[in-house]
Structure formats: C-alpha cells, structure tokens
Amino acid sequence: MVEISAFQHQMSALLSRADCPAMAWVGALDCELSSDGRGPVSDMPSVFIKTYGCQMNERDSEAVAAQLVAKGYTLAASEAAADVVLLNTCSVRDAAEQKAIGKMQNLAADLRRNRPNLVLGFMGCMAQSRGQELIDKLPDVDLVIGTQKFHRTAEYLDDLFADRRKKVCDIGSEAGSEATIKEHILAGSGSRKSVTAFVSIMQGCNQHCTFCIVPFTRGEERSRTIEDIVAECRELVAGGVREVTLLGQIVTSYGKREIGAKDGKSAFVQLLEAVSEVEGLDRIRFTSPHPKGYGDDLVEAYGRLPKLCESAHIPAQSGSNEMLKLMHRGYTRERFTGIAGKLRQVRPNIGVTTDIIVGFPGESEAHFQETMSLLDEVRFDNAYVFKYSKRKDTPAATMPDQVPQEIIEDRHTRLLARVNEISVAKYQSFTGQHVQILVEGPSRRNASRLEGRTRCNKIVVFEGSSRHRAQLMDLKITRSSLCTLYGDPAIVNME
Ligand code: SAH
Ligand code: F3S
C-alpha cells in the first residue's frame, strides 16, 4: 500500500504555491494527489486525484485519498497510470468550472478511448451544483459525488468495479456530514508525517454574499463540536504535526447556533482557546474568516494566545461602501480598516492578506478607485484579485449594470499591479530581520533547499538539511522576491 506520508508531503509542497495570492487563484491552487511511485504493487485499483480551488478542497481530497488507501486502493503516480481519475472541482468562478470540464474531456479523449475500463469522476462543488447534468453532457463520466458525500467514494468505486452500478450520481444532503470527514483522516493517521495539517471545523455558509455560489454548493453552516476538533488536533500532533490551520467557509461563524457565546467570547474564540491547550502543538492558523466576525474578543485573542500566529486573511472584496452593500457583505470600509488597525495594535507584525473582486455589477471607475485607495490605506501583505464571474442563481447575476469584460480585465491588471507593488515593498522590509520559521520540507522550486513559513505566513527558503525538517528555526532574512523570503541560519548561529 502506498504510504500516505509520501503524497501528503508532495501535496503540501504543491499547495504552498497558494502562498502567492496575487497569482490567479484557481491556477495557483491546482494540485495533484498521487503517489511517488514507491509503493508496492497491489491488485487493487489505483486512483489519481486532481484538485481545483481552495484549501477546503485540498482537505477534502486528502480525506478521500486517505479513505481509499484505508480500503486497499492505491494512489497512482500519474493519471496515465491510474485506474480511476477523480477531479475535485471548484465553482467559485466560471473559469474554474470550464477548466475541470476541459480536463475531463481531455481525459476521456486521451485515456479512456484506449482504456474503456478507466473510471472517471467529478467530486466537490461543481459536482454538487451540476449533478446529473455532468453525466448527461459528458457520457464518459461514471461518478459524480457532491460535497456532503465524500465519505462514500470508496463504496461507490467498489460498486462500479463490481459492476453493481453503471453510473453513480449522489449529491444529496447528509446529516452530520461536517464530521464524517474526520473519520477519513484518522484512517490514515498512522503513517502521517506532515508538519502542518488542515482541520475542517465547519461546513457551509449562511452569509449569502450576492455574488457567491458557495452557500449553494456547501449548504447551510454546520459545525463540529469543540471536543471532536480538539481530539483530531491531538491525533495529528501525535503523528508529528506542529501547526494546524482551522478551515471553513466562514470560520468566524463557527458554532454560532450549536455552541453560542459564553462570557463575551464567541464559539470560535472558545475553540481557539481549546485548540491552544493541545500539548505539542506550536502554531494555529485559520481561514477564511469574515470581517463581521472580528469582534473585540477575537482581536484580544491574538494578544493572549501565543500559539495563534500573527497572520490574518480577511476578505475585503471592495473598498466602496456602495459595492459592499450591494454585495451583502455586512460591514463598511471603515469597519474593515478599523479591524486591520486594531489587529496591528495587538500584533504589530501581523501579516494581513485579502480577497478583492473587480467588476461587480454597478462598479464604476469611482468605486474601483475606492478599492485602489483601500490598498494604500491597509497595505495588505498580499491579495487574491478576482474578476467578477456571474454565478447561476446568485442575486448579482441579474443585477443591472453588469460590467463589460474588457473593463473587468483592465481593472484586474491595474489592481494586481498595485497589490504586487505593495507586496514587494513589504517583503523587502524583512531583509535583515530575524524570523522564526517552522520547516516544512524541501523547497518547491529547488528541492536541494528547505522551506518553511514565518508566523506571519511568508515562505522562507534556506540552505539546510533534512534534519531541520519539522523544527522551529530562527533565520536571518538576506533577500526577498515577490512572495518568497530567503534566509540564512548560519548567520544566526555566528552571532
Ligand atoms: N469564505 C470562503 C470564500 C470562498 S470564495 C472561503 O475562502 O473559503 C473565495 C473568494 O472568491 C471570495 O472571497 C471572493 O473574493 C471570490 N469570489 C467568490 N465568488 C466570486 C464570483 N462570483 N466572482 C469572482 N470572485 C468570487
Ligand atoms: Fe461566499 Fe460570502 Fe460565504 S463570499 S462563502 S457567501 S461569506
């Protein structure tokens, strides 16, 4: 059986491309889940998983892979060598859907034509939003698994291989699906060697921003219990993990209904406190929060929980109050900048990143300039810049004054240039500073070097050896490029 740690390490190396948020989002995050080819040969079918989109999708793919390996399936080294190819999809923008559909068409044409027994499947958000339509339009697709059914992947593959069913499409809802994913990770935890791990704390989102398809693809907010999450973190630490990232579509709404506030602390802050108590865990991160969830209790938690890393990805979307209202974001520009200011007061070195959408319906040049000025006011360490994409059934899709594509492109280019300018300056300001990093493994660009992250979530590459892996190290930053710092441990040792 293929050792799970091999692909998990490969996964995190590929995943780290996401640390350059100014890159196109979906393209930057695409990654593949496969074996390194070292596993022993098995008679069980082999699977190749390709993931599009966000960290939640990465987490889901990891969980599905762990589940399949536990059931005896192996992970193939490439799609060409696989008996099953699964695409875990993203629906946030149309481009992401088209990319996965194009990929599936290529797989059908290139691979399935010669190997009719190859099983092809879609999972995740696009599977959820399009369902049976995917099989009707792409007859080579055998399997469509929605966002609440990941835990049934092995069972469905078994059915297809045993010829019990010809096609499977399951996009139903399932009570308790926010917790099923945990079972998968436990199944593979025995050989887990990753230093960092994602922990899914909730599913769904009730905010219904007018542009966003996520509430439709991921459903209503459902949170796991604090005990469950803490138990998973303990398991992970026992397997060598030193840093966890708590994941959800709107983590600041964690446990609102199920747990509620206590002593002036939101359920999310209670969770952060409980996870902080896990012995052996060094660092805690989370993504994605919503600005309206940054109450003083959360700001204050940054000041008193040393394991909580000083980095925050806070999606702003726009700098214009008029746009924010149309987007149904639930905060103003002033509230947003106030949060960034308070966080910087509590943790002066905090890294603040964001998401911005350009070309939302009704966005004039003047509105756009307000977003440009937000960049100058907040000076984000980095930002994902999205071109507005019309999504089925969302209120924004039928709003008046849709912005022409060429104007969207132009605003995207101008905004990205400013994001990068500020980012380069921010990264340069680290030169000469000492930082603490958690060493994750070989650098993704040059495997002879190592890389890790600062507490403020910046990648640092340095000359080191495998004995440094999983260590907290102090480095002196010697230079920087867009999205990467370069450090030297020797200088620290000599001082
Ligand atoms: N809170 C979620 C948000 C998911 S969508 C999470 O991070 O898990 C991620 C980002 O995609 C949003 O913050 C928004 O900036 C962008 N986005 C969502 N819908 C979009 C659309 N229709 N067009 C363009 N960008 C969009
Ligand atoms: Fe989407 Fe807004 Fe929720 S961006 S995920 S509806 S907070």
Side-chain angles (χ1 to χ4, degrees):
M1 211 180 284
V2 171
E3 227 203 309
I4 206 149
S5 58
F7 67 78
Q8 265 162 350
H9 186 64
Q10 184 181 346
M11 273 272 314
S12 49
L14 283 158
L15 248 183
S16 53
R17 276 182 286 167
D19 293 317
C20 191
M23 292 160 73
W25 193 56
V26 169
L29 288 179
D30 288 358
C31 74
E32 290 160 355
L33 200 47
S34 64
S35 88
D36 60 359
R38 280 181 289 160
V41 180
S42 152
D43 289 339
M44 283 296 281
S46 64
V47 184
F48 188 87
I49 303 178
K50 183 169 172 65
T51 307
Y52 298 83
C54 65
Q55 286 102 328
M56 186 64 93
N57 280 9
E58 297 306 333
R59 174 70 191 74
D60 292 339
S61 292
E62 266 184 55
V64 169
Q67 171 206 139
L68 292 174
V69 169
K71 297 268 162 125
Y73 286 81
T74 59
L75 294 181
S78 68
E79 21 183 84
D83 302 306
V84 180
V85 180
L86 299 174
L87 304 184
N88 194 7
T89 55
C90 170
S91 276
V92 166
R93 291 174 302 140
D94 187 54
E97 291 203 353
Q98 294 314 323
K99 208 166 168 182
I101 290 173
K103 178 74 188 171
M104 187 58 86
Q105 285 166 331
N106 289 341
L107 289 170
D110 299 343
L111 299 182
R112 179 136 156 163
R113 188 184 298 164
N114 304 322
R115 291 165 49 212
N117 291 335
L118 175 71
V119 171
L120 295 175
F122 282 118
M123 310 190 289
C125 287
M126 183 175 69
Q128 186 69 42
S129 65
R130 295 199 180 210
Q132 180 65 33
E133 173 202 329
L134 289 167
I135 295 180
D136 296 343
K137 291 206 173 132
L138 299 162
D140 285 294
V141 172
D142 306 291
L143 184 60
V144 174
I145 301 177
T147 54
Q148 303 196 23
K149 300 292 181 172
F150 289 113
H151 58 293
R152 305 192 68 167
T153 310
E155 176 192 330
Y156 291 147
L157 286 178
D158 288 350
D159 283 353
L160 290 169
F161 280 111
D163 237 356
R164 284 190 290 270
R165 295 165 76 168
K166 291 275 172 244
K167 304 265 175 191
V168 179
C169 174
D170 187 357
I171 57 167
S173 52
E174 181 148 329
S177 60
E178 68 279 5
T180 50
I181 222 80
K182 177 204 63 169
E183 289 157 22
H184 307 161
I185 205 76
L186 293 183
S189 63
S191 55
R192 167 175 280 272
K193 295 268 169 35
S194 292
V195 185
T196 62
F198 293 132
V199 175
S200 165
I201 63 167
M202 66 182 300
Q203 285 286 327
C205 180
N206 295 351
Q207 177 66 23
H208 285 279
C209 300
T210 52
F211 51 80
C212 186
I213 200 171
V214 170
F216 303 103
T217 59
R218 292 278 175 173
E220 295 268 302
E221 288 168 16
R222 292 102 65 207
S223 298
R224 293 173 63 191
T225 63
I226 292 183
E227 298 72 41
D228 221 16
I229 295 165
V230 167
E232 182 176 339
C233 292
R234 282 212 190 93
E235 286 269 347
L236 290 166
V237 169
V241 165
R242 301 189 69 175
E243 173 183 310
V244 293
T245 301
L246 308 179
L247 282 188
Q249 277 82 23
I250 180 161
V251 288
T252 38
S253 293
Y254 168 81
K256 266 204 165 140
R257 198 164 34 87
E258 300 89 340
I259 300 166
K262 206 168 95 189
D263 304 329
K265 289 176 202 158
S266 66
F268 183 57
V269 170
Q270 294 169 49
L271 174 69
L272 290 175
E273 287 177 347
V275 173
S276 277
E277 296 292 313
V278 173
E279 241 172 84
L281 183 67
D282 294 307
R283 291 173 162 197
I284 303 169
R285 304 183 191 278
F286 56 80
T287 199
S288 279
H290 188 285
K292 70 175 190 177
Y294 273 86
D296 287 345
D297 59 331
L298 181 53
V299 173
E300 189 255 317
Y302 275 95
R304 85 191 145 80
L305 300 176
K307 292 182 185 178
L308 185 57
C309 287
E310 43 273 50
S311 77
H313 179 75
I314 322 175
Q317 313 300 358
S318 171
S320 149
N321 282 336
E322 238 174 285
M323 289 296 108
L324 289 171
K325 196 157 187 206
L326 283 175
M327 289 173 165
H328 191 243
R329 288 293 291 175
Y331 54 87
T332 59
R333 174 195 177 113
E334 293 71 28
R335 163 106 171 97
F336 185 91
T337 53
I339 294 164
K342 281 185 189 175
L343 286 172
R344 283 179 171 147
Q345 254 172 8
V346 177
R347 293 274 187 103
N349 296 330
I350 195 165
V352 182
T353 54
T354 197
D355 292 345
I356 305 266
I357 296 178
V358 292
F360 184 81
E363 186 189 70
S364 65
E365 178 62 24
H367 296 129
F368 173 69
Q369 284 305 331
E370 290 185 74
T371 303
M372 289 290 265
S373 77
L374 183 76
L375 296 186
D376 293 330
E377 189 174 347
V378 179
R379 290 187 64 79
F380 295 103
D381 291 74
N382 228 323
Y384 290 101
V385 184
F386 298 93
K387 299 172 202 163
Y388 170 71
S389 169
K390 212 187 242 194
R391 307 313 293 133
K392 193 175 70 167
D393 297 333
T394 58
T398 49
M399 281 183 184
D401 304 321
Q402 299 279 328
V403 179
Q405 200 56 37
E406 61 274 18
I407 294 186
I408 295 184
E409 299 288 339
D410 176 57
R411 288 182 188 161
H412 182 259
T413 307
R414 285 191 280 156
L415 200 83
L416 201 56
R418 189 74 192 115
V419 164
N420 285 345
E421 225 172 84
I422 295 170
S423 187
V424 164
K426 287 247 168 188
Y427 275 71
Q428 272 171 357
S429 71
F430 276 84
T431 305
Q433 284 189 30
H434 288 197
V435 295
Q436 182 209 62
I437 67 162
L438 175 60
V439 184
E440 294 178 13
S443 158
R444 66 200 185 283
R445 295 220 179 93
N446 178 350
S448 68
R449 294 181 185 166
L450 291 175
E451 74 178 23
R453 265 168 233 251
T454 64
R455 288 176 57 95
C456 60
N457 213 15
K458 293 185 170 52
I459 292 265
V460 186
V461 172
F462 69 102
E463 306 281 346
S465 70
S466 56
R467 79 190 150 87
H468 292 125
R469 214 183 138 265
Q471 302 297 315
L472 287 171
M473 282 182 75
D474 289 322
L475 298 183
K476 183 165 177 176
I477 301 304
T478 51
R479 65 187 175 94
S480 69
S481 65
L482 181 67
C483 301
T484 310
L485 299 174
Y486 296 87
D488 194 343
I491 292 174
V492 174
N493 293 340
M494 277 157 38
E495 281 172 359

